[in-house]
């Protein structure tokens, strides 16, 4: 009678299923063997356990514990509804918390959405204003690129989506246009640097970035490559000549590496302009590259090349000074045949005040009058040696060569001998087309020989008539 109310369905049975103790006295000594759950408990070998089953039509939680000493079994039957009653308050609390979370989340989401929509609304208004400006203008004018083709009442996010799609297409078109014009941008950039037409280093860097070229080096120099043997390639068509030059440009740029960078462009008059970026001013590697390029040009196109490398500068905007050096250096190409690369130290010859010994010219004149062809050859060999080993300026050597031609021309005129009897061209026209000092010296010797032989034959012919 002192048991709490939750234990009203707690009782004890014997090993045969007979009730030994029960809160309701009427139930004492009643046998429950016919109850399915009792049968299950008696058949179970477990000392304790629990199961869910129906008792008098009510689904209940049935727990049991055995007393090993007596063989009795303590059974507790609790309807499942009583379990749920204890969790009902917790369930209501959870529901209330969920509802509050939803309300708070909705408020926060509304605030975030409002803050997010403000910039989107500005973007949408901007798109609509642009569309409106196009529609308000000349009806025959071309529509703006970002025109979405959607009415103002259409879904706003759809308008923005279409605008972004059109913007992507526009950027794609601009990217393709830029890619197609990279050669033009590169040509204008290099020509601008070589001719001092770019004065802003940021402009140069931006253009290099556009053409995907890294020219961030501590030292820069200009190099000019001149294609020689002009008489051999003058017959080439414009198309073939450009093929030759652009092939050499491509081959030059292929030699770029981490320490050296070559960017080349086509120049007039069989020349190629190159900007060199380097980590050091050591020119040995450049010399090897030019030597290999010279071999490639001769083996592939049967032409020879000479490269002139100007002085180094530490600012790419000053590379035009180095380019001017190459123009001066190429004057010495004539006196250094078979030398693939002319270095900036040759520029010291420009300031040389020395002159070819006057006696050399006088001896040449005397030898020509005496018709001593062997002596003439010795003098021209000496002049050839002075041109390559001496420090004379190119302008002075050109004057000396012109003086040699004048001596021969005056001798021919004094002897009343017609140069056309030797060659069909004028003597000065032939001199103008000579490529190097070796050809010049050989030409002078052969010219003197032809004049001397012609004068001797004319003298023999006159003697026959006497």
């Amino acid at each position: 009678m002192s048991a709490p109310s939750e234990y009203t369905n707690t009782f004890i049975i014997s090993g045969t299923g007979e009730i030994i103790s029960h809160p309701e006295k009427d139930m004492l000594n009643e046998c429950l063997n016919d109850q399915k759950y009792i049968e299950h408990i008696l058949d179970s070998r477990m000392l304790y356990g629990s199961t869910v089953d129906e008792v008098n039509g009510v689904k209940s939680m049935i727990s049991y514990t055995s007393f090993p000493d007596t063989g009795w079994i303590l059974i507790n039957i609790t309807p499942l509804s009583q379990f749920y009653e204890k969790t009902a308050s917790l369930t209501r609390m959870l529901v209330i918390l969920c509802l509050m979370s939803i309300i708070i989340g909705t408020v926060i989401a509304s605030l975030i959405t409002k803050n997010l929509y403000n910039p989107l609304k500005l973007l949408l208004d901007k798109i609509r204003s642009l569309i409106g400006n196009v529609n308000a203008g000349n009806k025959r004018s071309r529509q703006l690129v970002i025109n979405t083709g959607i009415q103002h009442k259409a879904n706003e996010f759809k308008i923005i989506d279409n605008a972004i799609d059109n913007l992507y297409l526009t950027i794609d078109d601009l990217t393709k246009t830029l890619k197609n014009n990279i050669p033009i941008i590169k040509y204008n950039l290099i020509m601008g640097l070589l001719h001092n037409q770019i004065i802003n280093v940021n402009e140069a860097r931006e253009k290099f970035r556009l053409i995907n070229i890294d020219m961030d080096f501590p030292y820069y120099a200009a190099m000019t490559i001149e294609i020689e043997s002009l008489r051999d390639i003058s017959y080439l068509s414009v198309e073939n000549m450009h093929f030759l030059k652009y092939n050499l440009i491509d081959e030059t740029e292929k030699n770029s590496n981490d320490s050296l960078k070559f960017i080349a462009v086509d120049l007039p008059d069989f020349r190629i302009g190159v900007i060199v970026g380097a980590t050091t001013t050591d020119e040995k590697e450049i010399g090897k590259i030019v030597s290999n390029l010279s071999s490639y040009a001769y083996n592939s196109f049967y032409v020879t090349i000479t490269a002139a490398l100007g002085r180094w500068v530490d600012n790419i905007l000053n590379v035009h000074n180095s380019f001017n050096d190459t123009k001066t250096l190429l004057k010495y190409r004539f006196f250094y045949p078979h030398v693939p690369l002319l270095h900036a130290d040759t520029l010291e010859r420009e300031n040389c005040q020395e002159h070819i010994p006057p006696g050399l010219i006088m001896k040449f004149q005397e030898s020509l009058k005496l018709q001593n062809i062997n002596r003439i050859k010795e003098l021209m060999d000496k002049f050839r040696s002075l041109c390559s080993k001496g420090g004379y300026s190119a302008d002075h050597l050109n004057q000396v060569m012109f003086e040699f031609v004048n001596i021969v021309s005056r001798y021919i005129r004094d002897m009343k001998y017609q140069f056309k009897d030797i060659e069909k061209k004028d003597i000065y026209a032939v001199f103008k087309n000579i490529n190097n000092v070796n050809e010049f010296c050989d030409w002078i010797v052969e010219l003197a020989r032809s004049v001397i032989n012609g004068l001797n034959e004319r003298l023999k012919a006159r003697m026959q008539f006497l």
Side-chain angles (χ1 to χ4, degrees):
M1 293 181 63
S2 62
S5 59
E6 58 266 26
Y7 293 105
T8 55
N9 291 323
T10 300
F11 56 92
I12 299 173
I13 64 172
S14 65
T16 59
E18 182 179 353
I19 295 176
I20 297 174
S21 174
H22 197 285
E24 298 180 8
K25 300 303 179 180
D26 297 338
M27 298 295 294
L28 290 175
N29 301 321
E30 185 175 345
C31 188
L32 301 177
N33 285 339
D34 58 342
Q35 298 291 330
K36 184 177 180 182
Y37 69 92
I38 295 295
E39 183 180 356
H40 173 74
I41 292 173
L42 293 176
D43 293 339
S44 175
R45 296 182 180 180
M46 302 295 293
L47 295 177
Y48 55 88
S50 62
T51 183
V52 177
D53 206 342
E54 289 188 359
V55 178
N56 299 323
V58 178
K59 206 160 191 178
S60 304
M61 172 65 73
I62 304 171
S63 302
Y64 64 92
T65 300
S66 301
F67 299 105
D69 295 337
T70 61
W72 296 351
I73 300 173
L74 175 63
I75 299 174
N76 177 264
I77 300 174
T78 303
L80 291 179
S81 59
Q82 292 184 10
F83 283 96
Y84 297 145
E85 285 178 1
K86 294 182 178 181
T87 60
S89 60
L90 181 61
T91 302
R92 287 193 294 270
M93 181 64 70
L94 290 176
V95 171
I96 293 172
L97 290 176
C98 290
L99 290 175
M100 291 179 64
S101 299
I102 293 173
I103 294 172
I104 294 173
T106 303
V107 172
I108 295 175
S110 299
L111 295 175
I112 295 176
T113 302
K114 183 178 180 181
N115 293 333
L116 177 64
Y117 183 69
N118 285 336
L120 290 177
K121 187 174 184 300
L122 293 175
L123 176 61
L124 182 64
D125 292 341
K126 183 64 176 178
I127 294 173
R128 283 176 170 170
S129 65
L130 291 174
I131 298 173
N133 291 336
V134 172
N135 295 332
N138 188 353
K139 295 182 179 180
R140 296 184 180 180
S141 63
R142 183 183 176 186
Q143 279 192 327
L144 196 62
V145 175
I146 62 171
N147 187 1
T148 61
I150 300 177
Q151 300 298 326
H152 289 278
K153 294 183 179 180
N155 184 281
E156 295 173 344
F157 289 99
K158 185 65 174 178
I159 295 176
I160 295 175
D161 181 64
N162 282 317
I164 293 174
D165 288 342
N166 281 274
L167 183 60
Y168 167 78
L169 295 175
T170 302
I171 293 175
D172 186 60
D173 290 341
L174 292 175
T175 303
K176 291 179 180 178
T177 302
L178 177 62
K179 184 177 181 181
N180 294 333
N181 286 278
I182 282 179
I184 299 175
I185 298 173
K186 172 189 170 185
Y187 177 82
N188 292 333
L189 173 59
I190 303 306
M191 292 296 287
L193 291 171
L194 293 178
H195 294 91
N196 196 24
Q197 295 175 349
I198 297 179
I199 60 175
N200 190 326
V201 68
N202 291 329
E203 177 186 355
R205 288 175 179 172
E206 184 66 18
K207 289 186 177 180
F208 276 122
R209 186 188 65 79
L210 285 176
I211 59 178
N212 296 321
I213 293 179
D214 181 13
M215 279 300 286
D216 188 12
F217 289 93
Y219 304 103
Y220 304 93
M223 184 170 67
T224 300
I225 300 174
E226 183 164 357
I227 303 173
E228 301 180 32
S229 301
L230 301 184
R231 287 179 296 179
D232 296 337
I233 61 175
S234 58
Y235 65 90
L236 291 176
S237 65
V238 174
E239 180 180 1
N240 290 334
M241 187 61 214
H242 278 85
F243 172 78
L244 166 62
K245 295 181 75 173
Y246 282 108
N247 197 284
L248 291 177
I249 288 174
D250 184 61
E251 194 66 24
T252 301
E253 294 182 341
K254 282 182 180 179
N255 288 284
S256 298
N257 52 47
D258 293 337
S259 59
L260 277 175
K261 185 73 174 184
F262 298 94
I263 308 177
V265 294
D266 180 17
L267 296 178
D269 301 329
F270 303 99
R271 291 185 177 182
I272 296 172
V274 185
I275 291 182
V276 183
T279 55
T280 66
T281 57
D282 187 6
E283 299 177 0
K284 291 182 180 179
E285 187 174 358
I286 297 178
K288 293 179 182 178
I289 292 174
V290 171
S291 180
N292 294 335
L293 187 64
S294 178
S295 300
Y296 170 80
Y298 185 81
N299 294 331
S300 301
F301 305 102
Y302 203 65
V303 297
T304 57
I305 64 170
T306 298
L309 183 67
R311 286 172 289 193
W312 294 97
V313 296
D314 57 3
N315 189 334
I316 197 169
L317 297 183
N318 296 329
V319 78
H320 63 278
N321 295 324
S322 183
F323 181 62
N324 292 332
D325 291 341
T326 65
K327 296 178 183 178
T328 303
L329 285 172
L330 285 174
K331 295 192 300 183
Y332 294 90
R333 176 187 63 84
F334 189 92
F335 306 103
Y336 288 99
H338 312 301
V339 175
L341 180 63
L342 298 173
H343 297 271
D345 52 7
T346 307
L347 293 171
E348 297 177 359
R349 296 182 60 163
E350 282 293 285
N351 300 321
C352 180
Q353 301 299 324
E354 296 183 17
H355 294 80
I356 293 292
L360 180 67
I361 300 176
M362 294 176 61
K363 290 177 182 179
F364 175 79
Q365 189 173 7
E366 292 174 359
S367 299
L368 185 60
K369 289 181 180 180
L370 295 174
Q371 298 185 357
N372 188 344
I373 192 65
N374 291 329
R375 181 60 175 163
I376 292 174
K377 186 176 184 305
E378 291 177 1
L379 293 172
M380 295 313 299
D381 287 340
K382 184 176 182 179
F383 174 73
R384 190 198 324 254
S385 177
L386 290 173
C387 287
S388 60
K389 298 179 180 180
Y392 309 103
S393 67
D395 293 337
H396 173 64
L397 294 177
N398 286 325
Q399 292 175 358
V400 174
M401 289 190 297
F402 194 76
E403 183 62 26
F404 282 132
V405 176
N406 282 337
I407 291 173
V408 176
S409 180
R410 286 196 302 267
Y411 178 73
I412 292 173
R413 186 171 61 252
D414 293 342
M415 299 302 293
K416 297 181 180 180
Y417 189 85
Q418 298 294 325
F419 182 72
K420 64 181 180 180
D421 294 337
I422 302 173
E423 292 196 33
K424 295 181 180 180
K425 294 182 180 180
D426 180 78
I427 186 173
Y428 294 100
V430 176
F431 170 55
K432 184 178 179 181
N433 290 324
I434 292 178
N435 286 324
N436 57 64
V437 67
N438 290 337
E439 290 184 12
F440 172 78
C441 293
D442 294 340
W443 174 67
I444 287 292
V445 172
E446 292 303 318
L447 179 61
R449 190 193 307 276
S450 298
V451 172
I452 292 171
N453 291 338
L455 291 175
N456 290 334
E457 290 177 1
R458 189 176 67 177
L459 180 60
K460 289 178 181 180
R462 288 179 180 178
M463 294 295 293
Q464 291 178 356
F465 290 101
L466 296 177

